[in-house]
Amino acid sequence: MPNKHNLKKSANTMSNNDRKPLISGNWKMHMNHFEAIQMVQKLFYDLPLPVYDRIDVSIHPPFTSLRSLQTVFEVDHMPIALGAQNCHNEDSGAFTGEISPLMLAKLNVAYVIVGHSERRQLLGETDRQVNAKVHAVLKHGMTPIVCVGETLEQRQAGSAATVVSTQITNSLKEVTAAQVSDLIIAYEPVWAIGTGKTATPADAQAMCAHIRSQMESKWGNTAAQSLRIQYGGSVKASNIAELMVKNDIDGTLVGGASLKVEDFAPIVNHFS
Ligand code: PGA
């Protein structure tokens, strides 16, 4: 996967200058497949090609648009990775309304968001389910983007770091160091999602550094320095620069600002 080149360098000296940033657009339940095609075509023609050498970009549309976007990316040779927003942990079975990771892999999906706080909060998804999904995604050669983050009450009670650590421990059970190296963790404080409130770059960095050091103590320095940590929560063109200068922030998971080319292109263009 894209950040493998990092390992040439001694792991304990790496920074986010060595990890290839990943900017992901999480479209949530927005856009039909016609709108999705229009959006990626506009986005592609708006951005200079060399930007894709510097960063990875993934788009996570609703399931109904995956096949359309896969076709557009292939036919138009767009170096944009296809992403999904969720999947079931089983390959197949009597699970009405669910989508199998095997089906996603067949569509050339590269990244799958797992454990997004909206799924945890609105649909009762647990760390245990997230863990099963992480394994399912990995088994089919895709990369999980594992979302963690505290609520406002938890932050105010001073338990943000403990909450995030517990989510990581439980969501990543039985994952190997080699798998961790290629993993994406998205730190998304729940109170910053869709609210216009962004964590300060210093707070976001502090939590991302905390996550990396937790990963290091469990999986070792090489894996912890190689994995990429995204920040998510009201990311926009006006705050991408101050987030990306932080050492442990390796990209962003973008919701609202990924829905319009005028908002998303400048975020990606930050890297050109
Ligand atoms: P937001 O969403 O950028 O609209 O805050 C981020 C997310 O939910 O991943």
PDB file of all heavy atoms in Angstrom, residues 118-143:
ATOM      1  N   GLU A 118     -21.235   7.995  13.600  1.00  0.00           N
ATOM      2  CA  GLU A 118     -22.677   8.003  13.304  1.00  0.00           C
ATOM      3  C   GLU A 118     -23.237   6.579  13.368  1.00  0.00           C
ATOM      4  O   GLU A 118     -24.364   6.369  13.812  1.00  0.00           O
ATOM      5  CB  GLU A 118     -22.931   8.653  11.931  1.00  0.00           C
ATOM      6  CG  GLU A 118     -22.829  10.170  12.035  1.00  0.00           C
ATOM      7  CD  GLU A 118     -22.388  10.869  10.757  1.00  0.00           C
ATOM      8  OE1 GLU A 118     -22.431  10.271   9.675  1.00  0.00           O
ATOM      9  OE2 GLU A 118     -21.974  12.046  10.875  1.00  0.00           O
ATOM     10  N   ARG A 119     -22.461   5.615  12.961  1.00  0.00           N
ATOM     11  CA  ARG A 119     -22.907   4.218  13.057  1.00  0.00           C
ATOM     12  C   ARG A 119     -22.875   3.757  14.518  1.00  0.00           C
ATOM     13  O   ARG A 119     -23.743   3.038  14.971  1.00  0.00           O
ATOM     14  CB  ARG A 119     -22.037   3.307  12.190  1.00  0.00           C
ATOM     15  CG  ARG A 119     -22.103   3.636  10.707  1.00  0.00           C
ATOM     16  CD  ARG A 119     -21.619   2.496   9.851  1.00  0.00           C
ATOM     17  NE  ARG A 119     -22.418   1.310  10.075  1.00  0.00           N
ATOM     18  CZ  ARG A 119     -23.612   1.082   9.500  1.00  0.00           C
ATOM     19  NH1 ARG A 119     -24.116   1.938   8.650  1.00  0.00           N
ATOM     20  NH2 ARG A 119     -24.268  -0.028   9.770  1.00  0.00           N
ATOM     21  N   ARG A 120     -21.859   4.194  15.236  1.00  0.00           N
ATOM     22  CA  ARG A 120     -21.787   3.804  16.657  1.00  0.00           C
ATOM     23  C   ARG A 120     -22.964   4.408  17.420  1.00  0.00           C
ATOM     24  O   ARG A 120     -23.622   3.739  18.206  1.00  0.00           O
ATOM     25  CB  ARG A 120     -20.476   4.292  17.284  1.00  0.00           C
ATOM     26  CG  ARG A 120     -19.210   3.590  16.777  1.00  0.00           C
ATOM     27  CD  ARG A 120     -17.982   4.236  17.423  1.00  0.00           C
ATOM     28  NE  ARG A 120     -16.703   3.772  16.922  1.00  0.00           N
ATOM     29  CZ  ARG A 120     -15.977   2.791  17.474  1.00  0.00           C
ATOM     30  NH1 ARG A 120     -16.418   2.151  18.529  1.00  0.00           N
ATOM     31  NH2 ARG A 120     -14.807   2.466  16.967  1.00  0.00           N
ATOM     32  N   GLN A 121     -23.245   5.701  17.148  1.00  0.00           N
ATOM     33  CA  GLN A 121     -24.259   6.394  17.944  1.00  0.00           C
ATOM     34  C   GLN A 121     -25.685   6.118  17.472  1.00  0.00           C
ATOM     35  O   GLN A 121     -26.573   5.907  18.279  1.00  0.00           O
ATOM     36  CB  GLN A 121     -24.010   7.895  17.876  1.00  0.00           C
ATOM     37  CG  GLN A 121     -22.710   8.298  18.556  1.00  0.00           C
ATOM     38  CD  GLN A 121     -22.774   9.701  19.089  1.00  0.00           C
ATOM     39  OE1 GLN A 121     -23.137  10.616  18.350  1.00  0.00           O
ATOM     40  NE2 GLN A 121     -22.412   9.893  20.342  1.00  0.00           N
ATOM     41  N   LEU A 122     -25.894   6.162  16.162  1.00  0.00           N
ATOM     42  CA  LEU A 122     -27.269   6.052  15.654  1.00  0.00           C
ATOM     43  C   LEU A 122     -27.702   4.601  15.443  1.00  0.00           C
ATOM     44  O   LEU A 122     -28.876   4.290  15.470  1.00  0.00           O
ATOM     45  CB  LEU A 122     -27.418   6.813  14.321  1.00  0.00           C
ATOM     46  CG  LEU A 122     -26.996   8.285  14.351  1.00  0.00           C
ATOM     47  CD1 LEU A 122     -27.039   8.887  12.956  1.00  0.00           C
ATOM     48  CD2 LEU A 122     -27.921   9.071  15.287  1.00  0.00           C
ATOM     49  N   LEU A 123     -26.730   3.722  15.206  1.00  0.00           N
ATOM     50  CA  LEU A 123     -27.087   2.333  14.880  1.00  0.00           C
ATOM     51  C   LEU A 123     -26.532   1.340  15.903  1.00  0.00           C
ATOM     52  O   LEU A 123     -26.597   0.127  15.696  1.00  0.00           O
ATOM     53  CB  LEU A 123     -26.582   1.989  13.468  1.00  0.00           C
ATOM     54  CG  LEU A 123     -27.192   2.895  12.376  1.00  0.00           C
ATOM     55  CD1 LEU A 123     -26.373   2.882  11.115  1.00  0.00           C
ATOM     56  CD2 LEU A 123     -28.621   2.465  12.076  1.00  0.00           C
ATOM     57  N   GLY A 124     -25.977   1.866  16.977  1.00  0.00           N
ATOM     58  CA  GLY A 124     -25.534   1.000  18.078  1.00  0.00           C
ATOM     59  C   GLY A 124     -24.370   0.086  17.748  1.00  0.00           C
ATOM     60  O   GLY A 124     -24.206  -0.972  18.355  1.00  0.00           O
ATOM     61  N   GLU A 125     -23.539   0.483  16.777  1.00  0.00           N
ATOM     62  CA  GLU A 125     -22.407  -0.374  16.423  1.00  0.00           C
ATOM     63  C   GLU A 125     -21.401  -0.404  17.589  1.00  0.00           C
ATOM     64  O   GLU A 125     -21.069   0.637  18.151  1.00  0.00           O
ATOM     65  CB  GLU A 125     -21.744   0.183  15.151  1.00  0.00           C
ATOM     66  CG  GLU A 125     -20.865  -0.819  14.466  1.00  0.00           C
ATOM     67  CD  GLU A 125     -20.604  -0.440  13.011  1.00  0.00           C
ATOM     68  OE1 GLU A 125     -21.555  -0.453  12.204  1.00  0.00           O
ATOM     69  OE2 GLU A 125     -19.464  -0.113  12.694  1.00  0.00           O
ATOM     70  N   THR A 126     -20.941  -1.604  17.921  1.00  0.00           N
ATOM     71  CA  THR A 126     -20.033  -1.760  19.071  1.00  0.00           C
ATOM     72  C   THR A 126     -18.594  -1.981  18.609  1.00  0.00           C
ATOM     73  O   THR A 126     -18.348  -2.336  17.449  1.00  0.00           O
ATOM     74  CB  THR A 126     -20.440  -2.994  19.897  1.00  0.00           C
ATOM     75  OG1 THR A 126     -20.296  -4.154  19.045  1.00  0.00           O
ATOM     76  CG2 THR A 126     -21.880  -2.898  20.400  1.00  0.00           C
ATOM     77  N   ASP A 127     -17.660  -1.831  19.542  1.00  0.00           N
ATOM     78  CA  ASP A 127     -16.248  -2.102  19.248  1.00  0.00           C
ATOM     79  C   ASP A 127     -16.064  -3.535  18.751  1.00  0.00           C
ATOM     80  O   ASP A 127     -15.221  -3.809  17.901  1.00  0.00           O
ATOM     81  CB  ASP A 127     -15.395  -1.929  20.512  1.00  0.00           C
ATOM     82  CG  ASP A 127     -15.109  -0.469  20.825  1.00  0.00           C
ATOM     83  OD1 ASP A 127     -15.318   0.384  19.940  1.00  0.00           O
ATOM     84  OD2 ASP A 127     -14.676  -0.190  21.957  1.00  0.00           O
ATOM     85  N   ARG A 128     -16.858  -4.428  19.306  1.00  0.00           N
ATOM     86  CA  ARG A 128     -16.759  -5.838  18.917  1.00  0.00           C
ATOM     87  C   ARG A 128     -17.118  -6.024  17.431  1.00  0.00           C
ATOM     88  O   ARG A 128     -16.428  -6.738  16.695  1.00  0.00           O
ATOM     89  CB  ARG A 128     -17.758  -6.602  19.788  1.00  0.00           C
ATOM     90  CG  ARG A 128     -17.448  -8.036  20.009  1.00  0.00           C
ATOM     91  CD  ARG A 128     -18.696  -8.633  20.664  1.00  0.00           C
ATOM     92  NE  ARG A 128     -18.677 -10.061  20.489  1.00  0.00           N
ATOM     93  CZ  ARG A 128     -18.441 -10.902  21.471  1.00  0.00           C
ATOM     94  NH1 ARG A 128     -18.245 -10.464  22.689  1.00  0.00           N
ATOM     95  NH2 ARG A 128     -18.423 -12.199  21.237  1.00  0.00           N
ATOM     96  N   GLN A 129     -18.176  -5.335  17.010  1.00  0.00           N
ATOM     97  CA  GLN A 129     -18.547  -5.411  15.587  1.00  0.00           C
ATOM     98  C   GLN A 129     -17.488  -4.735  14.726  1.00  0.00           C
ATOM     99  O   GLN A 129     -17.151  -5.219  13.644  1.00  0.00           O
ATOM    100  CB  GLN A 129     -19.906  -4.732  15.361  1.00  0.00           C
ATOM    101  CG  GLN A 129     -21.075  -5.532  15.902  1.00  0.00           C
ATOM    102  CD  GLN A 129     -22.370  -4.727  15.888  1.00  0.00           C
ATOM    103  OE1 GLN A 129     -22.416  -3.597  16.379  1.00  0.00           O
ATOM    104  NE2 GLN A 129     -23.411  -5.302  15.324  1.00  0.00           N
ATOM    105  N   VAL A 130     -16.989  -3.615  15.234  1.00  0.00           N
ATOM    106  CA  VAL A 130     -15.954  -2.897  14.481  1.00  0.00           C
ATOM    107  C   VAL A 130     -14.744  -3.814  14.286  1.00  0.00           C
ATOM    108  O   VAL A 130     -14.185  -3.920  13.187  1.00  0.00           O
ATOM    109  CB  VAL A 130     -15.554  -1.582  15.203  1.00  0.00           C
ATOM    110  CG1 VAL A 130     -14.374  -0.911  14.521  1.00  0.00           C
ATOM    111  CG2 VAL A 130     -16.739  -0.629  15.281  1.00  0.00           C
ATOM    112  N   ASN A 131     -14.380  -4.518  15.343  1.00  0.00           N
ATOM    113  CA  ASN A 131     -13.241  -5.433  15.275  1.00  0.00           C
ATOM    114  C   ASN A 131     -13.477  -6.528  14.216  1.00  0.00           C
ATOM    115  O   ASN A 131     -12.589  -6.843  13.415  1.00  0.00           O
ATOM    116  CB  ASN A 131     -13.012  -6.048  16.661  1.00  0.00           C
ATOM    117  CG  ASN A 131     -11.798  -6.962  16.701  1.00  0.00           C
ATOM    118  OD1 ASN A 131     -11.886  -8.116  17.075  1.00  0.00           O
ATOM    119  ND2 ASN A 131     -10.656  -6.444  16.300  1.00  0.00           N
ATOM    120  N   ALA A 132     -14.677  -7.073  14.196  1.00  0.00           N
ATOM    121  CA  ALA A 132     -14.991  -8.123  13.208  1.00  0.00           C
ATOM    122  C   ALA A 132     -14.909  -7.557  11.789  1.00  0.00           C
ATOM    123  O   ALA A 132     -14.420  -8.209  10.861  1.00  0.00           O
ATOM    124  CB  ALA A 132     -16.374  -8.693  13.485  1.00  0.00           C
ATOM    125  N   LYS A 133     -15.356  -6.319  11.629  1.00  0.00           N
ATOM    126  CA  LYS A 133     -15.307  -5.690  10.302  1.00  0.00           C
ATOM    127  C   LYS A 133     -13.865  -5.398   9.883  1.00  0.00           C
ATOM    128  O   LYS A 133     -13.503  -5.553   8.713  1.00  0.00           O
ATOM    129  CB  LYS A 133     -16.127  -4.397  10.304  1.00  0.00           C
ATOM    130  CG  LYS A 133     -17.619  -4.656  10.412  1.00  0.00           C
ATOM    131  CD  LYS A 133     -18.435  -3.384  10.448  1.00  0.00           C
ATOM    132  CE  LYS A 133     -19.902  -3.736  10.705  1.00  0.00           C
ATOM    133  NZ  LYS A 133     -20.816  -2.655  10.392  1.00  0.00           N
ATOM    134  N   VAL A 134     -13.049  -4.958  10.832  1.00  0.00           N
ATOM    135  CA  VAL A 134     -11.636  -4.687  10.525  1.00  0.00           C
ATOM    136  C   VAL A 134     -11.002  -5.951   9.945  1.00  0.00           C
ATOM    137  O   VAL A 134     -10.336  -5.922   8.907  1.00  0.00           O
ATOM    138  CB  VAL A 134     -10.869  -4.218  11.798  1.00  0.00           C
ATOM    139  CG1 VAL A 134      -9.363  -4.275  11.587  1.00  0.00           C
ATOM    140  CG2 VAL A 134     -11.305  -2.821  12.201  1.00  0.00           C
ATOM    141  N   HIS A 135     -11.245  -7.080  10.601  1.00  0.00           N
ATOM    142  CA  HIS A 135     -10.671  -8.345  10.118  1.00  0.00           C
ATOM    143  C   HIS A 135     -11.227  -8.728   8.748  1.00  0.00           C
ATOM    144  O   HIS A 135     -10.491  -9.215   7.888  1.00  0.00           O
ATOM    145  CB  HIS A 135     -10.912  -9.460  11.140  1.00  0.00           C
ATOM    146  CG  HIS A 135      -9.996  -9.344  12.326  1.00  0.00           C
ATOM    147  ND1 HIS A 135      -8.664  -9.680  12.275  1.00  0.00           N
ATOM    148  CD2 HIS A 135     -10.214  -8.869  13.574  1.00  0.00           C
ATOM    149  CE1 HIS A 135      -8.094  -9.440  13.444  1.00  0.00           C
ATOM    150  NE2 HIS A 135      -9.026  -8.939  14.260  1.00  0.00           N
ATOM    151  N   ALA A 136     -12.512  -8.479   8.550  1.00  0.00           N
ATOM    152  CA  ALA A 136     -13.130  -8.837   7.269  1.00  0.00           C
ATOM    153  C   ALA A 136     -12.545  -7.993   6.136  1.00  0.00           C
ATOM    154  O   ALA A 136     -12.248  -8.505   5.043  1.00  0.00           O
ATOM    155  CB  ALA A 136     -14.638  -8.640   7.354  1.00  0.00           C
ATOM    156  N   VAL A 137     -12.363  -6.725   6.396  1.00  0.00           N
ATOM    157  CA  VAL A 137     -11.808  -5.820   5.377  1.00  0.00           C
ATOM    158  C   VAL A 137     -10.374  -6.231   5.035  1.00  0.00           C
ATOM    159  O   VAL A 137      -9.994  -6.332   3.859  1.00  0.00           O
ATOM    160  CB  VAL A 137     -11.882  -4.350   5.884  1.00  0.00           C
ATOM    161  CG1 VAL A 137     -11.099  -3.412   4.981  1.00  0.00           C
ATOM    162  CG2 VAL A 137     -13.337  -3.898   6.000  1.00  0.00           C
ATOM    163  N   LEU A 138      -9.592  -6.500   6.064  1.00  0.00           N
ATOM    164  CA  LEU A 138      -8.199  -6.903   5.852  1.00  0.00           C
ATOM    165  C   LEU A 138      -8.120  -8.227   5.085  1.00  0.00           C
ATOM    166  O   LEU A 138      -7.298  -8.384   4.185  1.00  0.00           O
ATOM    167  CB  LEU A 138      -7.482  -7.045   7.203  1.00  0.00           C
ATOM    168  CG  LEU A 138      -7.180  -5.734   7.934  1.00  0.00           C
ATOM    169  CD1 LEU A 138      -6.748  -6.014   9.378  1.00  0.00           C
ATOM    170  CD2 LEU A 138      -6.094  -4.932   7.201  1.00  0.00           C
ATOM    171  N   LYS A 139      -8.988  -9.137   5.438  1.00  0.00           N
ATOM    172  CA  LYS A 139      -8.987 -10.466   4.799  1.00  0.00           C
ATOM    173  C   LYS A 139      -9.160 -10.352   3.282  1.00  0.00           C
ATOM    174  O   LYS A 139      -8.621 -11.148   2.526  1.00  0.00           O
ATOM    175  CB  LYS A 139     -10.134 -11.276   5.410  1.00  0.00           C
ATOM    176  CG  LYS A 139     -10.357 -12.646   4.826  1.00  0.00           C
ATOM    177  CD  LYS A 139     -11.467 -13.372   5.585  1.00  0.00           C
ATOM    178  CE  LYS A 139     -12.251 -14.284   4.667  1.00  0.00           C
ATOM    179  NZ  LYS A 139     -13.543 -14.678   5.235  1.00  0.00           N
ATOM    180  N   HIS A 140      -9.877  -9.324   2.847  1.00  0.00           N
ATOM    181  CA  HIS A 140     -10.118  -9.182   1.415  1.00  0.00           C
ATOM    182  C   HIS A 140      -9.194  -8.149   0.752  1.00  0.00           C
ATOM    183  O   HIS A 140      -9.495  -7.619  -0.314  1.00  0.00           O
ATOM    184  CB  HIS A 140     -11.594  -8.865   1.172  1.00  0.00           C
ATOM    185  CG  HIS A 140     -12.465 -10.023   1.548  1.00  0.00           C
ATOM    186  ND1 HIS A 140     -12.444 -11.207   0.851  1.00  0.00           N
ATOM    187  CD2 HIS A 140     -13.314 -10.206   2.585  1.00  0.00           C
ATOM    188  CE1 HIS A 140     -13.262 -12.075   1.430  1.00  0.00           C
ATOM    189  NE2 HIS A 140     -13.812 -11.497   2.483  1.00  0.00           N
ATOM    190  N   GLY A 141      -8.093  -7.848   1.439  1.00  0.00           N
ATOM    191  CA  GLY A 141      -7.054  -7.022   0.823  1.00  0.00           C
ATOM    192  C   GLY A 141      -7.366  -5.536   0.750  1.00  0.00           C
ATOM    193  O   GLY A 141      -6.729  -4.799  -0.004  1.00  0.00           O
ATOM    194  N   MET A 142      -8.345  -5.097   1.523  1.00  0.00           N
ATOM    195  CA  MET A 142      -8.662  -3.656   1.545  1.00  0.00           C
ATOM    196  C   MET A 142      -8.120  -3.058   2.848  1.00  0.00           C
ATOM    197  O   MET A 142      -7.702  -3.776   3.748  1.00  0.00           O
ATOM    198  CB  MET A 142     -10.184  -3.458   1.448  1.00  0.00           C
ATOM    199  CG  MET A 142     -10.775  -4.026   0.163  1.00  0.00           C
ATOM    200  SD  MET A 142     -12.580  -3.896   0.099  1.00  0.00           S
ATOM    201  CE  MET A 142     -13.092  -5.104   1.310  1.00  0.00           C
ATOM    202  N   THR A 143      -8.108  -1.730   2.901  1.00  0.00           N
ATOM    203  CA  THR A 143      -7.578  -1.049   4.086  1.00  0.00           C
ATOM    204  C   THR A 143      -8.718  -0.465   4.909  1.00  0.00           C
ATOM    205  O   THR A 143      -9.494   0.341   4.387  1.00  0.00           O
ATOM    206  CB  THR A 143      -6.635   0.093   3.658  1.00  0.00           C
ATOM    207  OG1 THR A 143      -5.576  -0.463   2.881  1.00  0.00           O
ATOM    208  CG2 THR A 143      -6.051   0.823   4.855  1.00  0.00           C
TER     209      THR A 143
END
